[in-house]
Amino acid sequence: MANNRTVALWESAYNLGKLSSNGFSYCIAKSVLDSTGTLTYNMVWQSKSLAPRASVTWTVQYGLNWTLDIPAGNAQVTVGGIWQACNPGQVFDLDSNGLFQPSSVSSKPDYLKIGKNGYHYAGTSGVHIIVGVKTPDGQFEPIYVDTTELALNMSSWYQPQEKAQWWYEKGVQSTTMITGAVSEVCDFDLTTPNPSTNTYYVSTTYDYDSGSWSTALTPPPQASLTGMLGSQSIGADGSNDGLDGNDLDKIRKDVKEIMDILNKISGDKVQAPETIDYFFGLLIFATAAAALHGVNTIVNKLIDKGYGATATFTSDKRSATVTITPPPKLQGLLTVGGAVPAQITTDWNAAVAADSVDKPTNGGVSTTKS
């Protein structure tokens, strides 16, 4: 639905390992403007287990409920009534049975309003109003609870906001009161759509080593064959722009040199490819001939720097897919839509420079070398 808001979390294997070993879970909260005009985040809306990808989506539809008690610690808020859908500008009373009924009290534009509380439970002096948001499955989930009791015949009003914040914390459940985040908190406003896509969407990832979040209006990078990296690309000349003419000229020259040697051995039975693509994600699609020469040199230089490498050859042995993954510390530096980290670019340039001066070799790329 066009009116849905989505926060898409993604994490690298390095960050997931660090977060998991320390017992963290992903927490997200939504804000509400209360009767005093204060913007408040006071409840963990959702707490999610760690995963490489996780999305939280909500519809801009809100509801009211109530509870008798504000729980302490990590206890969950228990709703006491039946959810009442409520649009901004609508007013409902709470009757003597704890049910919501349409109210004759004047409305407050842009707010969800309780016109009058008529419910009293023995041993209490009032109720605490809960505001909930509708999830895509049509259910309401609590996002805020008023810590001030609403006594008999009192009124209150609330304005849910399309602002969210998220963080990592230990031992936290959904629908619990926020007691304090462990990691840095990331805030984002989804009130207005992305003008380029007309959608309400943000992707986000956490850098464990720096303790900071990054956000982007674009989806997380697509996983490579190793599940580590995605669509960031770098040219064979070291530029962060994929392939260009200079790259292809160099590759064709490399391939021609090794093919000349191979054809002398095989009796001109080796067929040259039209193009060979180098991607930094990093996937290198190459012929077996290129793997024996240019790719071999570049891969081995990167392996010397701590990178991992695997290769898979096609059944006819004429082409191969070589997958390169950066060292864990460098994987953690990758951000959605961000530039290739400087250290990776430096390592790549050094490997390409070494390749440009090396002579053809009969060596190959190991399928398990790391």
Coordinates of all heavy atoms in Angstrom, one line a residue, residues 49-97:
S49 N 14.7 -10.5 16.8 CA 15.9 -11.3 16.8 C 16.8 -10.9 15.7 O 16.4 -10.3 14.6 CB 15.6 -12.8 16.7 OG 14.8 -13.2 17.8
L50 N 18.1 -11.1 15.8 CA 19.1 -10.7 14.8 C 18.9 -11.5 13.5 O 18.6 -12.7 13.6 CB 20.5 -10.9 15.3 CG 20.9 -10.0 16.5 CD1 22.3 -10.4 17.0 CD2 20.8 -8.6 16.2
A51 N 19.1 -10.8 12.4 CA 19.0 -11.4 11.1 C 19.7 -10.5 10.1 O 19.8 -9.3 10.3 CB 17.5 -11.6 10.7
P52 N 20.2 -11.1 9.0 CA 20.9 -10.3 8.0 C 19.9 -9.2 7.4 O 20.3 -8.1 7.0 CB 21.3 -11.3 6.9 CG 21.4 -12.6 7.6 CD 20.3 -12.5 8.6
R53 N 18.6 -9.6 7.3 CA 17.6 -8.6 6.8 C 16.4 -8.7 7.7 O 15.9 -9.8 8.0 CB 17.2 -9.0 5.3 CG 18.3 -9.0 4.3 CD 18.7 -7.5 4.0 NE 19.7 -7.5 2.9 CZ 21.0 -7.6 3.0 NH1 21.5 -7.8 4.2 NH2 21.8 -7.5 1.9
A54 N 15.8 -7.5 8.0 CA 14.6 -7.5 8.8 C 13.8 -6.2 8.4 O 14.5 -5.1 8.4 CB 14.8 -7.6 10.3
S55 N 12.6 -6.3 8.2 CA 11.8 -5.1 7.9 C 10.6 -4.9 8.9 O 10.0 -5.9 9.3 CB 11.2 -5.2 6.5 OG 12.2 -5.1 5.5
V56 N 10.3 -3.7 9.2 CA 9.2 -3.3 10.0 C 8.3 -2.4 9.2 O 8.8 -1.3 8.7 CB 9.6 -2.6 11.3 CG1 8.4 -2.2 12.1 CG2 10.5 -3.6 12.1
T57 N 7.0 -2.7 9.0 CA 6.1 -2.0 8.2 C 4.9 -1.6 9.0 O 4.4 -2.5 9.7 CB 5.7 -2.7 6.9 OG1 6.9 -3.0 6.1 CG2 4.8 -1.9 6.0
W58 N 4.4 -0.4 8.8 CA 3.1 -0.1 9.5 C 2.2 0.7 8.5 O 2.7 1.3 7.6 CB 3.3 0.7 10.8 CG 3.9 2.0 10.6 CD1 3.2 3.2 10.6 CD2 5.3 2.4 10.6 NE1 4.1 4.3 10.5 CE2 5.4 3.8 10.6 CE3 6.5 1.7 10.7 CZ2 6.6 4.5 10.5 CZ3 7.7 2.4 10.7 CH2 7.7 3.7 10.6
T59 N 0.9 0.7 8.8 CA -0.1 1.5 8.1 C -0.4 2.7 8.9 O -0.4 2.7 10.1 CB -1.3 0.7 7.9 OG1 -1.0 -0.6 7.4 CG2 -2.3 1.3 6.9
V60 N -0.7 3.8 8.3 CA -1.0 5.1 9.0 C -2.5 5.0 9.4 O -3.3 5.7 9.0 CB -0.7 6.3 8.1 CG1 -1.0 7.6 9.0 CG2 0.7 6.3 7.6
Q61 N -2.7 4.0 10.3 CA -4.0 3.8 10.9 C -3.8 3.5 12.4 O -3.0 2.6 12.7 CB -4.8 2.7 10.3 CG -5.2 3.0 8.8 CD -6.0 1.8 8.2 OE1 -5.4 0.8 7.9 NE2 -7.3 1.9 8.1
Y62 N -4.5 4.2 13.3 CA -4.2 4.1 14.7 C -5.4 3.8 15.5 O -6.6 3.9 15.0 CB -3.6 5.5 15.2 CG -2.3 5.7 14.5 CD1 -2.1 6.5 13.4 CD2 -1.1 5.2 15.1 CE1 -0.9 6.7 12.8 CE2 0.1 5.4 14.5 CZ 0.2 6.1 13.4 OH 1.4 6.3 12.8
G63 N -5.2 3.3 16.7 CA -6.3 2.8 17.5 C -6.0 3.2 19.0 O -4.9 3.5 19.4
L64 N -7.1 3.1 19.8 CA -7.0 3.3 21.3 C -7.3 2.1 22.1 O -8.1 1.3 21.7 CB -7.9 4.5 21.6 CG -7.7 5.8 21.0 CD1 -8.9 6.7 21.3 CD2 -6.4 6.5 21.5
N65 N -6.6 2.0 23.2 CA -6.9 0.9 24.2 C -6.5 1.5 25.6 O -6.2 2.7 25.7 CB -6.2 -0.3 23.9 CG -6.9 -1.6 24.3 OD1 -7.5 -1.7 25.4 ND2 -6.9 -2.6 23.4
W66 N -6.5 0.6 26.6 CA -6.2 1.1 27.9 C -5.6 0.0 28.7 O -5.7 -1.2 28.4 CB -7.4 1.7 28.6 CG -8.6 0.8 28.8 CD1 -9.6 0.7 27.9 CD2 -8.8 -0.1 29.8 NE1 -10.5 -0.2 28.3 CE2 -10.1 -0.8 29.5 CE3 -8.2 -0.5 31.0 CZ2 -10.6 -1.8 30.3 CZ3 -8.7 -1.5 31.8 CH2 -9.9 -2.1 31.4
T67 N -4.9 0.4 29.8 CA -4.3 -0.6 30.7 C -4.5 0.0 32.1 O -4.6 1.2 32.3 CB -2.9 -0.9 30.4 OG1 -2.4 -2.0 31.3 CG2 -2.0 0.3 30.6
L68 N -4.5 -0.9 33.1 CA -4.6 -0.4 34.5 C -3.2 -0.1 35.1 O -3.1 0.8 36.0 CB -5.3 -1.4 35.4 CG -6.8 -1.7 35.1 CD1 -7.3 -2.9 35.9 CD2 -7.6 -0.4 35.4
D69 N -2.2 -0.7 34.6 CA -0.9 -0.6 35.3 C 0.2 -0.3 34.3 O 0.2 -0.7 33.1 CB -0.5 -1.9 36.0 CG -1.5 -2.3 37.0 OD1 -1.8 -1.5 37.9 OD2 -2.1 -3.4 36.9
I70 N 1.2 0.5 34.7 CA 2.4 0.7 33.9 C 3.5 -0.3 34.5 O 3.9 -0.3 35.6 CB 3.0 2.1 34.1 CG1 2.0 3.1 33.6 CG2 4.3 2.3 33.4 CD1 1.7 3.1 32.2
P71 N 3.9 -1.3 33.6 CA 4.8 -2.3 34.1 C 6.2 -1.8 34.4 O 6.6 -0.8 33.8 CB 4.8 -3.4 33.0 CG 4.5 -2.5 31.8 CD 3.6 -1.5 32.2
A72 N 6.8 -2.5 35.3 CA 8.2 -2.1 35.6 C 9.2 -3.1 34.9 O 8.8 -4.2 34.5 CB 8.4 -2.2 37.1
G73 N 10.4 -2.7 34.7 CA 11.4 -3.5 34.1 C 11.1 -3.9 32.7 O 10.6 -3.1 31.9
N74 N 11.3 -5.2 32.4 CA 11.0 -5.8 31.1 C 9.7 -6.5 31.0 O 9.5 -7.2 30.0 CB 12.2 -6.7 30.7 CG 12.2 -7.0 29.2 OD1 11.9 -6.2 28.4 ND2 12.6 -8.2 28.9
A75 N 8.8 -6.2 31.9 CA 7.4 -6.8 31.8 C 6.7 -6.1 30.7 O 6.8 -4.9 30.4 CB 6.7 -6.6 33.1
Q76 N 5.8 -6.8 30.0 CA 5.1 -6.3 28.8 C 3.8 -5.6 29.3 O 3.2 -5.9 30.3 CB 4.7 -7.4 27.9 CG 5.9 -8.0 27.2 CD 5.5 -9.2 26.2 OE1 5.0 -10.2 26.7 NE2 5.7 -9.0 24.9
V77 N 3.4 -4.6 28.6 CA 2.2 -3.8 28.8 C 1.0 -4.7 28.5 O 1.0 -5.3 27.4 CB 2.1 -2.5 28.0 CG1 0.8 -1.9 28.2 CG2 3.2 -1.6 28.5
T78 N 0.1 -4.9 29.4 CA -1.1 -5.7 29.1 C -2.3 -4.8 28.8 O -2.7 -4.0 29.6 CB -1.4 -6.6 30.3 OG1 -0.3 -7.4 30.7 CG2 -2.7 -7.5 30.1
V79 N -2.9 -5.0 27.6 CA -4.1 -4.1 27.3 C -5.3 -4.7 28.1 O -5.4 -5.9 28.3 CB -4.3 -4.2 25.8 CG1 -3.2 -3.5 25.0 CG2 -4.6 -5.6 25.3
G80 N -6.1 -3.7 28.5 CA -7.3 -4.1 29.3 C -8.6 -4.1 28.6 O -9.6 -4.7 29.0
G81 N -8.6 -3.5 27.4 CA -9.9 -3.3 26.7 C -9.8 -3.9 25.3 O -9.0 -4.8 25.0
I82 N -10.8 -3.5 24.5 CA -10.8 -3.9 23.1 C -10.4 -2.8 22.2 O -10.8 -1.6 22.4 CB -12.3 -4.3 22.7 CG1 -12.7 -5.5 23.6 CG2 -12.4 -4.7 21.2 CD1 -14.2 -5.8 23.4
W83 N -9.5 -3.0 21.2 CA -9.0 -2.0 20.4 C -10.1 -1.2 19.7 O -11.1 -1.8 19.1 CB -8.0 -2.5 19.3 CG -6.7 -2.9 19.9 CD1 -6.2 -4.1 20.2 CD2 -5.7 -1.9 20.2 NE1 -4.9 -4.0 20.7 CE2 -4.6 -2.6 20.7 CE3 -5.6 -0.5 20.2 CZ2 -3.4 -2.0 21.2 CZ3 -4.4 0.1 20.6 CH2 -3.3 -0.6 21.1
Q84 N -10.0 0.1 19.7 CA -10.9 1.0 19.0 C -10.2 1.7 17.9 O -9.3 2.6 18.2 CB -11.6 1.9 19.9 CG -12.5 3.0 19.3 CD -13.6 2.4 18.5 OE1 -14.4 1.7 19.0 NE2 -13.7 2.7 17.2
A85 N -10.5 1.5 16.6 CA -9.8 2.2 15.6 C -10.2 3.7 15.7 O -11.4 4.0 16.0 CB -10.3 1.7 14.2
C86 N -9.3 4.6 15.5 CA -9.6 6.0 15.7 C -8.7 6.8 14.8 O -7.5 6.8 14.8 CB -9.2 6.4 17.2 SG -9.7 8.1 17.6
N87 N -9.4 7.6 14.0 CA -8.7 8.5 13.0 C -8.5 9.9 13.7 O -9.3 10.3 14.5 CB -9.5 8.7 11.7 CG -9.6 7.4 11.0 OD1 -8.7 6.6 10.9 ND2 -10.8 7.1 10.5
P88 N -7.5 10.6 13.2 CA -7.3 12.0 13.7 C -8.6 12.8 13.6 O -9.2 12.8 12.5 CB -6.2 12.5 12.9 CG -5.4 11.3 12.4 CD -6.4 10.3 12.2
G89 N -9.0 13.5 14.7 CA -10.2 14.3 14.7 C -11.4 13.5 15.3 O -12.4 14.1 15.6
Q90 N -11.3 12.2 15.5 CA -12.4 11.5 16.1 C -12.3 11.5 17.6 O -11.2 11.7 18.2 CB -12.4 10.0 15.6 CG -12.8 9.8 14.2 CD -13.0 8.4 13.8 OE1 -12.1 7.6 14.0 NE2 -14.2 8.0 13.3
V91 N -13.4 11.3 18.3 CA -13.5 11.3 19.8 C -14.3 10.1 20.2 O -15.3 9.8 19.7 CB -14.2 12.6 20.3 CG1 -14.0 12.7 21.8 CG2 -13.6 13.9 19.6
F92 N -13.8 9.5 21.3 CA -14.4 8.3 21.9 C -14.4 8.5 23.4 O -13.4 9.0 24.0 CB -13.8 7.0 21.5 CG -14.0 6.6 20.0 CD1 -13.1 7.0 19.1 CD2 -15.1 5.9 19.7 CE1 -13.3 6.7 17.8 CE2 -15.3 5.6 18.3 CZ -14.4 6.0 17.4
D93 N -15.5 8.1 24.0 CA -15.6 8.0 25.5 C -15.3 6.5 25.9 O -15.5 5.6 25.2 CB -17.0 8.4 26.0 CG -17.3 9.8 25.8 OD1 -16.3 10.6 25.7 OD2 -18.5 10.2 25.7
L94 N -14.8 6.4 27.1 CA -14.7 5.1 27.7 C -15.9 4.9 28.7 O -16.0 5.7 29.7 CB -13.4 5.0 28.5 CG -12.8 3.6 28.8 CD1 -12.6 2.8 27.5 CD2 -11.4 3.7 29.5
D95 N -16.7 3.9 28.5 CA -17.9 3.8 29.3 C -17.6 3.0 30.6 O -16.5 2.6 30.9 CB -19.1 3.1 28.5 CG -18.9 1.7 28.2 OD1 -18.0 1.0 28.7 OD2 -19.6 1.2 27.3
S96 N -18.7 2.8 31.4 CA -18.5 2.1 32.7 C -18.1 0.7 32.6 O -17.6 0.1 33.6 CB -19.8 2.2 33.5 OG -20.9 1.5 32.8
N97 N -18.2 0.1 31.4 CA -17.7 -1.3 31.2 C -16.3 -1.4 30.6 O -15.8 -2.5 30.3 CB -18.7 -2.1 30.3 CG -20.1 -2.2 31.0 OD1 -20.1 -2.6 32.2 ND2 -21.1 -2.0 30.3

